[in-house]
Amino acid sequence: MTNTESSRHEGFTAEERAAMKDHAQELKTASRRSSKADKAAEAEREVLAKIAEMKESDRILAERVHAVIAANAPSLAPKLWYGMPSYALDGKIICFFQSAEKFKARYATVGFSDQAKLDEGTMWAAGFALTEVTAEAEARIAALLKQALS
């Protein structure tokens, strides 16, 4: 790296810092809950509240993705992860929804963590751009969930 390149590096973006603060708050909140049932119910309320806060275009997508995940992967528990709706198995994130607005991206994303069993050869997709949740997109998400949990 040249001196010019290193002098321009300013560390994390404001959006990345905000996501890290969200995650720290999520950890604090989760540690204060009493029972497992309370934790699960509160986590789902937090996910739905986060979705409700999104701008309309992202909210519509996130609501549909949430419904598809709930219908096709009921073993996944909704929870916030870096301020994003995510879905975990035994506490480990399997998939998440990232709104376009969160990182000022061109499109929303449905992503899968390294815990998802999507492995296919030496290279495979772990994130999928989402501009509309059509019947075809719902079927693709459902198939990815099935594979991720296999």
Side-chain angles (χ1 to χ4, degrees), residues 118-134:
L118 298 178
D119 307 34
E120 190 175 298
T122 59
M123 184 173 148
W124 56 89
F128 299 85
L130 187 63
T131 58
E132 184 179 1
V133 182
T134 61

Side-chain angles (χ1 to χ4, degrees), residues 43-44 46-48 50-51 54 61-71 73-81 84-98 109-113 115-116 141 145 148-149:
E44 181 158 22
E46 289 171 352
V47 165
L48 294 173
K50 182 60 76 173
I51 290 171
M54 293 177 184
L61 296 173
E63 288 171 345
R64 291 301 312 137
V65 168
H66 179 79
V68 169
I69 293 170
S75 62
L76 294 181
K79 66 185 278 181
L80 289 178
W81 184 58
M84 295 179 287
S86 66
Y87 304 86
L89 181 65
D90 299 327
K92 295 180 181 176
I93 302 300
I94 300 296
C95 62
F96 59 90
F97 176 85
Q98 181 178 302
T109 306
V110 174
F112 291 84
S113 77
Q115 299 296 311
I141 293 167
L145 289 167
L149 295 171

Side-chain angles (χ1 to χ4, degrees), residues 72-73 112 117-118 139-150:
N72 291 281
F112 291 84
K117 298 175 184 165
L118 298 178
R140 179 75 173 126
I141 293 167
L144 287 165
L145 289 167
K146 182 178 180 180
Q147 181 180 349
L149 295 171
S150 64

Side-chain angles (χ1 to χ4, degrees), residues 5-113:
E5 289 172 344
S6 63
S7 64
R8 284 188 289 192
H9 179 71
E10 297 179 19
F12 295 108
T13 66
E15 293 82 8
E16 291 167 332
R17 285 191 303 276
M20 289 184 283
K21 285 179 184 178
D22 286 343
H23 187 58
Q25 185 59 45
E26 292 156 12
L27 294 173
K28 285 180 192 175
T29 301
S31 70
R32 285 185 240 145
R33 294 189 186 120
S34 56
S35 74
K36 191 174 182 177
D38 288 344
K39 288 179 182 184
E42 184 60 26
E44 181 158 22
R45 282 192 293 274
E46 289 171 352
V47 165
L48 294 173
K50 182 60 76 173
I51 290 171
E53 292 172 3
M54 293 177 184
K55 77 178 202 182
E56 184 178 14
S57 57
D58 286 331
R59 182 179 41 76
I60 290 167
L61 296 173
E63 288 171 345
R64 291 301 312 137
V65 168
H66 179 79
V68 169
I69 293 170
N72 291 281
S75 62
L76 294 181
K79 66 185 278 181
L80 289 178
W81 184 58
Y82 293 95
M84 295 179 287
S86 66
Y87 304 86
L89 181 65
D90 299 327
K92 295 180 181 176
I93 302 300
I94 300 296
C95 62
F96 59 90
F97 176 85
Q98 181 178 302
S99 68
E101 185 176 40
K102 182 152 186 82
F103 293 105
K104 297 180 174 98
R106 194 174 108 206
Y107 43 76
T109 306
V110 174
F112 291 84
S113 77

